[in-house]
Amino acid sequence: MSARCAAIVLAAGAGTRMSSDLPKPLHPVAGRAMVLRLLDTLAAADAGPVIVVIGHEADRVRKEVRSGAPQPERLIFATQPQQLGTGDAARVGLDALGEVPEASDVLVLPGDTPLLRPETLTRIVAIRRRDGAAASLLTARLDDPTGYGRIVRSDSGITIVEQRDASPAESQIDEINAGVYCFDLAQLRHVLPQLRPTNAASEYYLTDAIDLLARSGQSIAAMTLNDPSEAMGVNDAAQLAACEAVLAARPSPS
């Protein structure tokens, strides 16, 4: 990146479906905690400062991340007292970020996406800057999109509909939201206070920020992954094993 981009990593969840006493961000993928794999990727993309939003077993996660992160001096930890959704977590992270004069944009991404590549993050930032968009986001096309938010494209732009809120027609869409965004920092500060928990989960969805920006006339850019495996998240032991298999099959960096 030619100019520094800040980042907010959402790593506050308990991960109850993991059926483990280990906090979700600390589950290892090929021997390294998945949140640390993501921080490796952010370091390789030269992102910083990096806000890590923690919640469940916050002290344990903070200690492990601080001791294992590649650039601990770039890390700032922020605690989300209650897990009220990705929009609330982003707000907690943004409050901790404060004013960063050298950063005009911020990546927001989940801590359970260990397969992202540095060049992917570099590209999504470059696309937002090139297009002058309020935000850019990653999408992927999946044979089975079950569980993911769907990308709904129309003449008025892009919106994201979560699985539990999707209509039968929207549920048939195979283009999914990877949960990785690059926001213009000022636009994100403007839109987050407008989020409301008016959805089936009664949570603050970060995806609603995209919808609000689009409805206000702001442009949203989308980048579709060539390798959809990069969008893989980890919510249970089966997905953890799937991520390990993908990582094992990747060629080693030259």
Side-chain angles (χ1 to χ4, degrees):
M1 301 176 193
S2 58
R4 182 67 54 81
C5 177
I8 298 173
V9 175
L10 310 181
T16 53
R17 282 186 282 167
M18 300 298 296
S19 300
S20 168
D21 293 333
L22 191 65
K24 180 180 176 180
L26 300 183
H27 277 80
V29 176
R32 185 157 173 77
M34 59 180 160
V35 69
L36 292 178
R37 286 198 173 276
L38 182 60
L39 293 175
D40 293 342
T41 299
L42 286 165
D46 197 31
V50 177
I51 313 300
V52 183
V53 180
I54 53 180
H56 178 70
E57 291 203 44
D59 290 342
R60 182 178 180 184
V61 175
R62 183 188 295 108
K63 180 180 178 181
E64 296 273 351
V65 170
R66 184 175 281 137
S67 65
Q71 296 176 328
E73 72 282 357
R74 289 190 178 184
L75 298 183
I76 300 170
F77 292 92
T79 302
Q80 185 186 22
Q82 295 178 281
Q83 278 69 74
L84 300 176
T86 52
D88 181 65
R91 177 193 58 77
V92 169
L94 201 60
D95 288 347
L97 179 62
E99 298 297 328
V100 186
E102 69 272 22
S104 63
D105 35 27
V106 57
L107 286 160
V108 184
L109 59 175
D112 62 355
T113 48
L115 300 182
L116 287 168
R117 293 180 170 94
E119 55 267 30
T120 298
L121 299 184
T122 300
R123 284 181 60 206
I124 192 174
V125 175
I127 286 170
R128 192 209 69 76
R129 292 174 177 174
R130 181 198 68 196
D131 293 357
S136 54
L137 57 93
L138 278 182
T139 80
R141 293 193 178 276
L142 302 181
D143 293 335
D144 180 8
T146 304
Y148 289 92
R150 305 303 203 276
I151 299 295
V152 180
R153 296 177 182 265
S154 66
D155 293 341
S156 58
I158 293 171
T159 55
I160 304 165
V161 179
E162 296 296 339
Q163 168 87 32
R164 69 183 72 189
D165 300 309
S167 69
E170 289 166 341
S171 296
Q172 297 302 309
I173 296 171
D174 69 351
E175 186 178 15
I176 62 96
N177 172 35
V180 178
Y181 314 89
C182 177
F183 287 94
D184 175 276
L185 195 50
Q187 293 288 351
L188 185 60
R189 290 191 193 282
H190 174 72
V191 77
L192 279 183
Q194 301 175 45
L195 300 185
R196 298 292 182 268
T198 54
N199 49 66
S202 296
E203 292 184 347
Y204 295 88
Y205 286 167
L206 185 57
T207 50
D208 288 345
I210 298 295
D211 188 42
L212 287 167
L213 288 169
R215 288 177 183 272
S216 70
Q218 300 291 334
S219 65
I220 306 297
M223 172 185 152
T224 303
L225 288 163
N226 293 325
D227 176 6
S229 73
E230 286 192 67
M232 290 175 63
V234 176
N235 290 302
D236 55 36
Q239 291 175 343
L240 185 68
C243 279
E244 288 199 324
V246 170
L247 200 60
R250 279 186 179 175
S252 300
S254 56

PDB file of all heavy atoms in Angstrom, residues 41-61:
ATOM      1  N   THR A  41      -0.941 -11.773   7.819  1.00  0.00           N
ATOM      2  CA  THR A  41      -1.364 -11.260   6.516  1.00  0.00           C
ATOM      3  C   THR A  41      -1.419  -9.739   6.518  1.00  0.00           C
ATOM      4  O   THR A  41      -0.967  -9.080   5.574  1.00  0.00           O
ATOM      5  CB  THR A  41      -2.736 -11.844   6.143  1.00  0.00           C
ATOM      6  OG1 THR A  41      -2.628 -13.269   6.064  1.00  0.00           O
ATOM      7  CG2 THR A  41      -3.232 -11.311   4.815  1.00  0.00           C
ATOM      8  N   LEU A  42      -1.957  -9.156   7.583  1.00  0.00           N
ATOM      9  CA  LEU A  42      -2.025  -7.692   7.685  1.00  0.00           C
ATOM     10  C   LEU A  42      -0.626  -7.084   7.740  1.00  0.00           C
ATOM     11  O   LEU A  42      -0.372  -6.033   7.148  1.00  0.00           O
ATOM     12  CB  LEU A  42      -2.829  -7.289   8.914  1.00  0.00           C
ATOM     13  CG  LEU A  42      -4.347  -7.496   8.795  1.00  0.00           C
ATOM     14  CD1 LEU A  42      -5.004  -7.414  10.170  1.00  0.00           C
ATOM     15  CD2 LEU A  42      -4.958  -6.451   7.857  1.00  0.00           C
ATOM     16  N   ALA A  43       0.288  -7.737   8.435  1.00  0.00           N
ATOM     17  CA  ALA A  43       1.662  -7.239   8.494  1.00  0.00           C
ATOM     18  C   ALA A  43       2.314  -7.277   7.118  1.00  0.00           C
ATOM     19  O   ALA A  43       3.002  -6.336   6.708  1.00  0.00           O
ATOM     20  CB  ALA A  43       2.475  -8.058   9.496  1.00  0.00           C
ATOM     21  N   ALA A  44       2.075  -8.371   6.382  1.00  0.00           N
ATOM     22  CA  ALA A  44       2.644  -8.481   5.034  1.00  0.00           C
ATOM     23  C   ALA A  44       2.049  -7.444   4.092  1.00  0.00           C
ATOM     24  O   ALA A  44       2.704  -7.019   3.131  1.00  0.00           O
ATOM     25  CB  ALA A  44       2.421  -9.886   4.486  1.00  0.00           C
ATOM     26  N   ALA A  45       0.805  -7.012   4.367  1.00  0.00           N
ATOM     27  CA  ALA A  45       0.155  -5.971   3.557  1.00  0.00           C
ATOM     28  C   ALA A  45       0.493  -4.568   4.058  1.00  0.00           C
ATOM     29  O   ALA A  45       0.000  -3.584   3.504  1.00  0.00           O
ATOM     30  CB  ALA A  45      -1.358  -6.174   3.573  1.00  0.00           C
ATOM     31  N   ASP A  46       1.292  -4.489   5.125  1.00  0.00           N
ATOM     32  CA  ASP A  46       1.733  -3.215   5.703  1.00  0.00           C
ATOM     33  C   ASP A  46       0.574  -2.389   6.244  1.00  0.00           C
ATOM     34  O   ASP A  46       0.567  -1.164   6.155  1.00  0.00           O
ATOM     35  CB  ASP A  46       2.545  -2.386   4.692  1.00  0.00           C
ATOM     36  CG  ASP A  46       3.358  -1.282   5.383  1.00  0.00           C
ATOM     37  OD1 ASP A  46       3.767  -1.494   6.535  1.00  0.00           O
ATOM     38  OD2 ASP A  46       3.561  -0.213   4.778  1.00  0.00           O
ATOM     39  N   ALA A  47      -0.427  -3.062   6.812  1.00  0.00           N
ATOM     40  CA  ALA A  47      -1.546  -2.348   7.429  1.00  0.00           C
ATOM     41  C   ALA A  47      -1.201  -1.981   8.868  1.00  0.00           C
ATOM     42  O   ALA A  47      -0.507  -2.717   9.561  1.00  0.00           O
ATOM     43  CB  ALA A  47      -2.801  -3.213   7.410  1.00  0.00           C
ATOM     44  N   GLY A  48      -1.680  -0.844   9.297  1.00  0.00           N
ATOM     45  CA  GLY A  48      -1.472  -0.456  10.684  1.00  0.00           C
ATOM     46  C   GLY A  48      -1.852   0.995  10.908  1.00  0.00           C
ATOM     47  O   GLY A  48      -1.872   1.790   9.958  1.00  0.00           O
ATOM     48  N   PRO A  49      -2.192   1.354  12.141  1.00  0.00           N
ATOM     49  CA  PRO A  49      -2.280   0.467  13.302  1.00  0.00           C
ATOM     50  C   PRO A  49      -3.405  -0.548  13.148  1.00  0.00           C
ATOM     51  O   PRO A  49      -4.322  -0.358  12.363  1.00  0.00           O
ATOM     52  CB  PRO A  49      -2.557   1.438  14.461  1.00  0.00           C
ATOM     53  CG  PRO A  49      -3.214   2.623  13.818  1.00  0.00           C
ATOM     54  CD  PRO A  49      -2.586   2.745  12.462  1.00  0.00           C
ATOM     55  N   VAL A  50      -3.307  -1.631  13.920  1.00  0.00           N
ATOM     56  CA  VAL A  50      -4.293  -2.702  13.867  1.00  0.00           C
ATOM     57  C   VAL A  50      -5.009  -2.772  15.211  1.00  0.00           C
ATOM     58  O   VAL A  50      -4.371  -2.997  16.242  1.00  0.00           O
ATOM     59  CB  VAL A  50      -3.635  -4.063  13.545  1.00  0.00           C
ATOM     60  CG1 VAL A  50      -4.679  -5.178  13.578  1.00  0.00           C
ATOM     61  CG2 VAL A  50      -2.948  -4.020  12.186  1.00  0.00           C
ATOM     62  N   ILE A  51      -6.310  -2.565  15.187  1.00  0.00           N
ATOM     63  CA  ILE A  51      -7.128  -2.689  16.373  1.00  0.00           C
ATOM     64  C   ILE A  51      -7.658  -4.119  16.430  1.00  0.00           C
ATOM     65  O   ILE A  51      -8.265  -4.584  15.465  1.00  0.00           O
ATOM     66  CB  ILE A  51      -8.324  -1.719  16.357  1.00  0.00           C
ATOM     67  CG1 ILE A  51      -7.886  -0.310  15.966  1.00  0.00           C
ATOM     68  CG2 ILE A  51      -9.049  -1.734  17.697  1.00  0.00           C
ATOM     69  CD1 ILE A  51      -6.880   0.319  16.882  1.00  0.00           C
ATOM     70  N   VAL A  52      -7.433  -4.803  17.524  1.00  0.00           N
ATOM     71  CA  VAL A  52      -7.983  -6.146  17.716  1.00  0.00           C
ATOM     72  C   VAL A  52      -9.108  -6.034  18.738  1.00  0.00           C
ATOM     73  O   VAL A  52      -8.870  -5.703  19.902  1.00  0.00           O
ATOM     74  CB  VAL A  52      -6.908  -7.139  18.196  1.00  0.00           C
ATOM     75  CG1 VAL A  52      -7.512  -8.543  18.319  1.00  0.00           C
ATOM     76  CG2 VAL A  52      -5.721  -7.159  17.243  1.00  0.00           C
ATOM     77  N   VAL A  53     -10.332  -6.258  18.276  1.00  0.00           N
ATOM     78  CA  VAL A  53     -11.498  -6.170  19.152  1.00  0.00           C
ATOM     79  C   VAL A  53     -11.709  -7.530  19.800  1.00  0.00           C
ATOM     80  O   VAL A  53     -11.924  -8.529  19.102  1.00  0.00           O
ATOM     81  CB  VAL A  53     -12.761  -5.739  18.377  1.00  0.00           C
ATOM     82  CG1 VAL A  53     -13.960  -5.648  19.324  1.00  0.00           C
ATOM     83  CG2 VAL A  53     -12.527  -4.393  17.695  1.00  0.00           C
ATOM     84  N   ILE A  54     -11.617  -7.559  21.121  1.00  0.00           N
ATOM     85  CA  ILE A  54     -11.725  -8.803  21.864  1.00  0.00           C
ATOM     86  C   ILE A  54     -12.923  -8.727  22.813  1.00  0.00           C
ATOM     87  O   ILE A  54     -13.448  -7.645  23.070  1.00  0.00           O
ATOM     88  CB  ILE A  54     -10.428  -9.108  22.643  1.00  0.00           C
ATOM     89  CG1 ILE A  54     -10.025  -7.908  23.521  1.00  0.00           C
ATOM     90  CG2 ILE A  54      -9.304  -9.454  21.674  1.00  0.00           C
ATOM     91  CD1 ILE A  54      -8.755  -8.121  24.327  1.00  0.00           C
ATOM     92  N   GLY A  55     -13.347  -9.881  23.313  1.00  0.00           N
ATOM     93  CA  GLY A  55     -14.507  -9.903  24.196  1.00  0.00           C
ATOM     94  C   GLY A  55     -14.497 -11.142  25.057  1.00  0.00           C
ATOM     95  O   GLY A  55     -14.152 -11.097  26.228  1.00  0.00           O
ATOM     96  N   HIS A  56     -14.840 -12.284  24.461  1.00  0.00           N
ATOM     97  CA  HIS A  56     -14.849 -13.535  25.202  1.00  0.00           C
ATOM     98  C   HIS A  56     -13.426 -13.896  25.630  1.00  0.00           C
ATOM     99  O   HIS A  56     -12.514 -13.941  24.806  1.00  0.00           O
ATOM    100  CB  HIS A  56     -15.434 -14.649  24.325  1.00  0.00           C
ATOM    101  CG  HIS A  56     -15.448 -15.993  24.978  1.00  0.00           C
ATOM    102  ND1 HIS A  56     -16.282 -16.302  26.026  1.00  0.00           N
ATOM    103  CD2 HIS A  56     -14.707 -17.106  24.739  1.00  0.00           C
ATOM    104  CE1 HIS A  56     -16.071 -17.550  26.400  1.00  0.00           C
ATOM    105  NE2 HIS A  56     -15.130 -18.064  25.638  1.00  0.00           N
ATOM    106  N   GLU A  57     -13.231 -14.131  26.930  1.00  0.00           N
ATOM    107  CA  GLU A  57     -11.908 -14.417  27.492  1.00  0.00           C
ATOM    108  C   GLU A  57     -10.874 -13.411  26.988  1.00  0.00           C
ATOM    109  O   GLU A  57      -9.790 -13.769  26.501  1.00  0.00           O
ATOM    110  CB  GLU A  57     -11.485 -15.850  27.189  1.00  0.00           C
ATOM    111  CG  GLU A  57     -12.321 -16.889  27.933  1.00  0.00           C
ATOM    112  CD  GLU A  57     -11.600 -18.212  28.085  1.00  0.00           C
ATOM    113  OE1 GLU A  57     -10.406 -18.224  28.416  1.00  0.00           O
ATOM    114  OE2 GLU A  57     -12.249 -19.248  27.859  1.00  0.00           O
ATOM    115  N   ALA A  58     -11.214 -12.133  27.155  1.00  0.00           N
ATOM    116  CA  ALA A  58     -10.406 -11.050  26.592  1.00  0.00           C
ATOM    117  C   ALA A  58      -8.956 -11.092  27.071  1.00  0.00           C
ATOM    118  O   ALA A  58      -8.029 -10.908  26.273  1.00  0.00           O
ATOM    119  CB  ALA A  58     -11.043  -9.706  26.927  1.00  0.00           C
ATOM    120  N   ASP A  59      -8.741 -11.328  28.344  1.00  0.00           N
ATOM    121  CA  ASP A  59      -7.377 -11.307  28.880  1.00  0.00           C
ATOM    122  C   ASP A  59      -6.522 -12.403  28.254  1.00  0.00           C
ATOM    123  O   ASP A  59      -5.348 -12.174  27.919  1.00  0.00           O
ATOM    124  CB  ASP A  59      -7.394 -11.468  30.398  1.00  0.00           C
ATOM    125  CG  ASP A  59      -7.963 -10.252  31.120  1.00  0.00           C
ATOM    126  OD1 ASP A  59      -8.029  -9.178  30.490  1.00  0.00           O
ATOM    127  OD2 ASP A  59      -8.344 -10.382  32.295  1.00  0.00           O
ATOM    128  N   ARG A  60      -7.103 -13.571  28.099  1.00  0.00           N
ATOM    129  CA  ARG A  60      -6.354 -14.690  27.511  1.00  0.00           C
ATOM    130  C   ARG A  60      -6.023 -14.417  26.053  1.00  0.00           C
ATOM    131  O   ARG A  60      -4.888 -14.655  25.608  1.00  0.00           O
ATOM    132  CB  ARG A  60      -7.179 -15.971  27.640  1.00  0.00           C
ATOM    133  CG  ARG A  60      -6.484 -17.214  27.118  1.00  0.00           C
ATOM    134  CD  ARG A  60      -7.362 -18.443  27.324  1.00  0.00           C
ATOM    135  NE  ARG A  60      -6.724 -19.658  26.845  1.00  0.00           N
ATOM    136  CZ  ARG A  60      -7.308 -20.849  26.849  1.00  0.00           C
ATOM    137  NH1 ARG A  60      -8.546 -20.977  27.325  1.00  0.00           N
ATOM    138  NH2 ARG A  60      -6.663 -21.909  26.380  1.00  0.00           N
ATOM    139  N   VAL A  61      -6.999 -13.904  25.313  1.00  0.00           N
ATOM    140  CA  VAL A  61      -6.755 -13.617  23.896  1.00  0.00           C
ATOM    141  C   VAL A  61      -5.712 -12.513  23.753  1.00  0.00           C
ATOM    142  O   VAL A  61      -4.786 -12.613  22.933  1.00  0.00           O
ATOM    143  CB  VAL A  61      -8.070 -13.223  23.191  1.00  0.00           C
ATOM    144  CG1 VAL A  61      -7.798 -12.809  21.746  1.00  0.00           C
ATOM    145  CG2 VAL A  61      -9.065 -14.381  23.221  1.00  0.00           C
TER     146      VAL A  61
END
